[in-house]
Amino acid sequence: MPIQILPAQLANQIAAGEVVERPASVVKELVENSLDAGATRIQIDIENGGASLIRIRDNGIGIAKQELSLALARHATSKISCIEDLEAILSLGFRGEALASISSVSRLTLTSRTAEQNEAWQVYVQGRDQESTITPASHPVGTTVEVANLFFNTPARRKFLRTDKTEFAHIDEVIRRIALAKSHIAFTLTHNGKILRQYKSAVETSQVLKRVAAICGEDFVHNALHIDWKHDDLHLSGWVATAQFTRTQNDLSYCYINGRMVKDKVITHAIRQAYAEHLPAEQHPAFVLFLDINPNDVDVNVHPTKHEVRFHQARLVHDFICQGVSNALQQAEQFDFNPAPQERISSNEVQELGAHYAPSLKPNRSTAGVNMFSHSVSTATSAPASTASSTSPFGNEHSGKKSSHFTPHFSPQFTSSQSLPPSKTEQKIYGELLHTEQVETNHHSTQPHILRALALVHLAQKQALLLQQNDDFYLLPLDRLQKVRSKLQLKLHSQLTQPLLIPVVFRLDAQQQENWLQQKTYFAQLGFQFSEHLAQHRITLNAVPQHLRQQNLQKIIVSLLAQQFDQIDQFSTALLTLLEQGEIAVFASAVNMLQEVEQLINQQQDIQLQDDLIAVDFNLYLQA
């Protein structure tokens, strides 16, 4: 058969195979179009599980008469117009394929009216012929799309539909997912003329929580921990359930990126990893999480269904989410958060739950948007999240592409806890925090050992912090500071391990295997987790100490197995010399690292900074 261009009708039906999997796919695409049109009320009418009729009615801006036929054409859209638009997508739809694909396998009627028009217009398309007719109609401002007899002209696809009950259950789940992300939108869902779901517009926090309870259940809200976690252009908000609220199936996991519901392996793994120490392997976590991210840093044009995305900095996103969820769960355990099953927390009580944890966080107050990704507490708590340090805890500075046009895609109740009026509990805690800062400041002013960072000094190929201690001045080389940090982390945090996304396999020769038998207890004491297969001369690295997760693990392990050690101190020293230290280029990052080291020093007595300070005598330069 010679190469030929496919007819438009056939091309549309092929595209429909990707976009229109079942009636729920149609509902998803049409409701997303309504949301992009600015609708605040959307009604979804379903008959016979969607096989007979799907009707979506909204009060959006509508479609002008001259654009009605064009709206049904393939690759026709008002969402994007150039390549630059494709790289910064915030709308839910953008491909321009949905209506064309749906109309090619159904009898589609599109009725719409804009505010500028005195009358509405209707276009009708039936199946593969794609011959549209436009007639006047009666309709308020907005749009109604009716999809009748789905797959009537593709019987092979129609026979794969399940029962009406099953297909409607899929539609119901789609509306649940969308309603969670768009709390300010009113949704009404009917089946065979009967109203089964009615989600009223939720603007107040109490209303939002009622919608979450209606969709996820009161038990979920009862066990919900609120998250408001920020770093640069990343913002994680929503709710995660405590370890006491477990699921035997993965049916209560809702994740959104810029308001778009997704199923992403990176996010799923990050959340599972955060729950790893809190849930048995056969249990599943429950969560409703919203991730706002610079649209330039995520690619949503991966699959026609738009359920998959691709991050430009997947590791940063993974660790950011993992840390945010882990922090909330650790706080819950610290405060022994385990409400009695018969109790029911009101909306106001749930809202204040996040504030309840604030005193324990000190440098990591999640409800105020401060986290471990910004170690400078004084800066982060007094400035907006966007001005916080961009240094991540794993040593790499976030250098992603920025967009001055980036704005969060959510309604105000999800974008910032500061948009809500502070509760009495929050006001009390905030007063305590201010009082504590004042007391600590006065206390530190009398302590002679406090080091004050003045500047970052660049000398040849090295950098050092200029420090002041009372009337004395010192230089602290950053390479020494980094080594002290690594030594402290190795000593104090060796039991905080992180599983590897992909385990690393090492094949050993005779000498390496002999050294491994001698060193494996040292590895275990420092937090490394291996599985060994000595008959095959092979070991597999499965988990490492958290602070080493960004290191070149293969290089480190091979180098250690090439040496022999009699004591763990020798082993630890050799390990420290193999660690690669990230470059510190700005003063704020150096100060953050100094504060982190001081916090680690306070947890032990053996390692101090005094031996690494170089005294500077300015009197030599001030003498006349």
Side-chain angles (χ1 to χ4, degrees):
M1 181 181 296
I3 297 175
Q4 56 185 333
I5 297 177
L6 295 177
Q9 296 85 354
L10 179 58
N12 284 342
Q13 286 201 331
I14 293 174
E18 296 179 317
V19 178
V20 186
E21 180 183 358
R22 63 195 327 157
S25 306
V26 175
V27 173
K28 171 185 175 294
E29 296 292 341
L30 297 181
V31 171
E32 287 183 348
N33 281 346
S34 296
L35 293 171
D36 286 338
T40 58
R41 297 191 309 275
I42 302 176
Q43 180 165 337
I44 306 99
D45 299 319
I46 307 297
E47 293 182 8
N48 300 324
S52 298
L53 178 68
I54 297 172
R55 182 190 298 115
I56 310 294
R57 186 185 184 103
D58 67 58
N59 65 339
I61 61 174
I63 304 174
K65 174 188 176 183
Q66 62 272 20
E67 297 178 357
L68 277 178
S69 296
L70 189 60
L72 300 179
R74 196 176 179 202
H75 304 311
T77 180
S78 61
K79 317 296 174 57
I80 60 175
S81 59
C82 59
I83 290 293
E84 288 73 17
D85 294 339
L86 191 62
E87 296 175 354
I89 294 173
L90 281 174
S91 60
L92 297 176
F94 60 89
R95 299 175 64 94
E97 288 185 330
L99 286 176
S101 298
I102 294 169
S103 63
S104 69
V105 291
S106 68
R107 296 182 172 94
L108 185 143
T109 304
L110 173 62
T111 309
S112 189
R113 176 191 164 196
T114 64
E116 293 76 18
Q117 295 177 180
N118 295 323
E119 57 184 351
W121 292 88
Q122 184 178 92
V123 60
Y124 174 78
V125 178
Q126 175 175 310
R128 60 171 57 95
D129 293 335
Q130 301 287 301
E131 294 180 359
S132 60
T133 56
I134 299 179
T135 58
S138 176
H139 194 280
V141 174
T143 302
T144 296
V145 182
E146 292 187 1
V147 178
N149 305 120
L150 187 63
F151 300 134
F152 79 97
N153 56 351
T154 52
R157 297 289 305 278
R158 191 176 181 87
K159 71 179 182 181
F160 281 100
L161 294 180
R162 304 301 181 185
T163 63
D164 292 352
K165 181 179 179 180
T166 300
E167 294 300 339
F168 181 77
H170 286 284
I171 294 173
D172 188 22
E173 179 63 16
V174 166
I175 300 304
R176 286 158 56 96
R177 288 181 172 271
I178 296 177
L180 274 175
K182 306 297 180 182
S183 59
H184 60 292
I185 308 297
F187 295 91
T188 301
L189 175 62
T190 71
H191 190 211
N192 296 333
K194 182 180 180 181
I195 297 178
L196 298 182
R197 296 282 185 266
Q198 193 163 28
Y199 303 116
K200 297 181 180 179
S201 176
V203 178
E204 301 293 334
T205 305
S206 59
Q207 297 172 334
V208 174
L209 287 169
K210 287 180 180 178
R211 174 171 289 195
V212 175
I215 295 174
C216 302
E218 289 188 3
D219 287 339
F220 173 79
V221 175
H222 180 58
N223 291 273
L225 301 172
H226 181 252
I227 288 182
D228 194 5
W229 199 245
K230 297 178 182 177
H231 166 64
D232 269 8
D233 288 339
L234 294 173
H235 180 199
L236 182 68
S237 61
W239 299 269
V240 294
T242 62
Q244 287 75 30
F245 184 82
T246 60
R247 310 290 291 179
T248 56
Q249 54 185 350
N250 194 25
D251 61 342
L252 225 173
S253 55
Y254 298 102
C255 185
Y256 305 84
I257 297 177
N258 291 345
R260 182 191 309 278
M261 53 182 177
V262 298
K263 297 176 181 178
D264 183 75
K265 294 180 180 179
V266 172
I267 296 177
T268 301
H269 184 274
I271 296 172
R272 290 292 302 181
Q273 183 172 306
Y275 272 95
E277 298 179 0
H278 306 273
L279 287 183
E282 65 276 5
Q283 298 294 320
H284 295 274
F287 54 87
V288 178
L289 290 175
F290 305 92
L291 177 66
D292 275 320
I293 184 173
N294 189 323
N296 290 310
D297 293 336
V298 60
D299 183 8
V300 299
N301 187 28
V302 177
H303 191 273
T305 62
K306 302 185 287 292
H307 275 146
E308 302 176 20
V309 297
R310 186 175 293 117
F311 296 106
H312 293 181
Q313 299 188 65
R315 169 54 73 178
L316 174 68
V317 174
H318 177 280
D319 286 6
F320 171 76
I321 295 174
C322 181
Q323 192 177 83
V325 176
S326 296
N327 184 69
L329 295 174
Q330 289 168 5
Q331 293 169 49
E333 289 189 351
Q334 180 180 351
F335 280 86
D336 194 22
F337 174 64
N338 187 14
Q342 68 274 16
E343 296 177 356
R344 281 297 175 267
I345 300 178
S346 69
S347 300
N348 291 334
E349 289 175 320
V350 175
Q351 172 59 25
E352 293 181 2
L353 186 61
H356 173 65
Y357 294 113
S360 70
L361 285 175
K362 295 182 181 177
N364 307 316
R365 291 172 49 228
S366 63
T367 54
V370 183
N371 52 60
M372 297 181 192
F373 282 78
S374 177
H375 298 294
S376 179
V377 183
S378 60
T379 301
T381 55
S382 61
S386 60
T387 63
S389 170
S390 62
T391 303
S392 66
F394 38 88
N396 295 327
E397 292 189 359
H398 179 47
S399 58
K401 183 179 178 183
K402 302 294 194 312
S403 170
S404 60
H405 301 291
F406 169 67
T407 55
H409 197 62
F410 301 126
S411 53
Q413 63 267 28
F414 286 118
T415 57
S416 173
S417 60
Q418 296 174 353
S419 63
L420 300 172
S423 64
K424 293 181 179 180
T425 304
E426 291 170 331
Q427 294 175 11
K428 178 182 177 182
I429 290 170
Y430 184 65
E432 291 174 354
L433 288 172
L434 292 180
H435 177 70
T436 302
E437 285 186 4
Q438 183 177 3
V439 172
E440 289 182 350
T441 302
N442 294 335
H443 174 70
H444 288 336
S445 64
T446 62
Q447 296 296 323
H449 63 277
I450 294 300
L451 293 170
R452 179 185 175 193
L454 301 178
L456 181 61
V457 181
H458 298 269
L459 300 172
Q461 299 299 321
K462 289 190 174 184
Q463 293 84 35
L465 272 174
L466 177 61
L467 306 173
Q468 181 181 7
Q469 187 182 70
N470 295 336
D471 295 330
D472 299 321
F473 295 88
Y474 302 92
L475 284 176
L476 176 57
L478 293 188
D479 57 346
R480 296 189 188 181
L481 183 61
Q482 289 175 316
K483 290 179 181 178
V484 171
R485 178 178 64 175
S486 298
K487 193 173 183 180
L488 288 165
Q489 289 174 332
L490 198 63
K491 176 183 178 182
L492 299 172
H493 295 164
S494 59
Q495 301 308 314
L496 298 177
T497 61
Q498 176 170 329
L500 298 179
L501 287 170
I502 302 177
V504 183
V505 179
F506 298 88
R507 300 195 177 276
L508 310 178
D509 57 28
Q511 184 60 51
Q512 288 176 325
Q513 185 157 323
E514 180 181 345
N515 293 341
W516 160 252
L517 294 174
Q518 181 191 30
Q519 298 175 20
K520 64 180 182 179
T521 56
Y522 301 157
F523 278 111
Q525 291 179 48
L526 295 181
F528 292 85
Q529 294 180 9
F530 286 88
S531 56
E532 59 180 11
H533 313 275
L534 298 183
Q536 303 174 9
H537 301 282
R538 176 169 55 90
I539 59 174
T540 303
L541 178 61
N542 300 309
V544 297
Q546 280 188 355
H547 60 278
L548 299 182
R549 63 182 183 269
Q550 292 297 313
Q551 295 288 331
N552 187 336
L553 299 172
Q554 187 150 0
K555 176 183 176 182
I556 291 174
I557 303 301
V558 171
S559 298
L560 291 173
L561 291 178
Q563 307 175 55
Q564 294 183 346
F565 307 100
D566 297 327
Q567 298 178 353
I568 190 172
D569 291 341
Q570 298 175 352
F571 181 85
S572 300
T573 302
L575 172 60
L576 289 172
T577 59
L578 293 171
L579 300 183
E580 298 177 357
Q581 305 294 350
E583 181 182 356
I584 303 297
V586 295
F587 175 64
S589 300
V591 173
N592 288 342
M593 183 168 59
L594 176 62
Q595 292 178 343
E596 180 185 357
V597 170
E598 288 177 332
Q599 292 175 3
L600 293 171
I601 287 176
N602 291 335
Q603 300 176 33
Q604 53 85 58
Q605 300 295 328
D606 299 334
I607 303 173
Q608 301 295 329
L609 271 179
Q610 299 300 322
D611 296 337
D612 296 296
L613 299 179
I614 302 172
V616 178
D617 188 0
F618 286 110
N619 291 322
L620 298 176
Y621 305 97
L622 297 176
Q623 293 176 357

